[in-house]
Amino acid sequence: MSLPNCSIDPKILVSAKEEFLQKGFAEASLREICQKAGVTTGALYKRFSGKEELFAAVLEPTLKDINALSEAVEQSNYEHLERAEMQAVWDMSEATHQRWIEFLYSRYDGFKLLLCCSAGSVYANFLNDFVAENTKHTLAFVEKAFARGLTKNRIDEDELHILLTAYWSTLFETIIHDFSKEKALHHCSIITKFFNWQAVLGF
């Protein structure tokens, strides 16, 4: 029994990413993806059950990086909480926002797919789903800080969701509006002036 030819997998993923970026998930054609990759549709279906699974495979590296960063930030926040260093939590300096931009732009295609090309897929509500998860973890953190007397404000879950939607939107919009990386980094100075999470949460 011969082993599957794994050398065609990267070709399929590269072709799929190009097709999804050009046409969006809903309008993307598996036949076109196969044609550009130089493979048969049969070869594609041996690897992916359909367009949804292929789209998920293209997004997998970006989604893994998002999850890894979220876990690292949460761990850092709780370490600051243990040391009662609340001013270090969600530092809203321009350098902090520039690090977010560096993260986004080093994964530009993945975020472009999530934010602009995912209609019709399970990722169509990426922003809302991302913010909902962020809200859940943030609220749990703030409640623990409040219980320890390290923050003086309590915030409603719905209100926090709205604020976090606004915050992440202004970062993600740089990609939605095709800002150059240079322009996006400059935009960070405006974000710094506009948002003050320490004041909102009473750190």
Side-chain angles (χ1 to χ4, degrees), residues 58-67 103 107 109-111 114:
V58 172
L59 289 171
E60 183 180 8
T62 301
L63 294 171
K64 285 178 69 174
D65 287 348
I66 291 171
N67 290 333
F103 179 84
R107 298 155 183 83
D109 287 347
F111 279 102
L114 286 166

Side-chain angles (χ1 to χ4, degrees), residues 6 9-10 19 27 30 35 44 50 53 55 69 92-93 114 116 119 125 133 135 153 159 182 192 196 203:
C6 294
D9 293 7
E19 178 79 359
E27 299 300 320
L30 290 180
Q35 194 172 57
L44 185 145
E53 188 174 342
F55 193 54
L69 181 62
M92 290 292 101
S93 67
L114 286 166
C116 303
N125 295 315
E133 189 70 13
T135 300
N153 295 345
E159 191 172 29
E182 182 181 16
T192 302
N196 187 341
F203 290 169

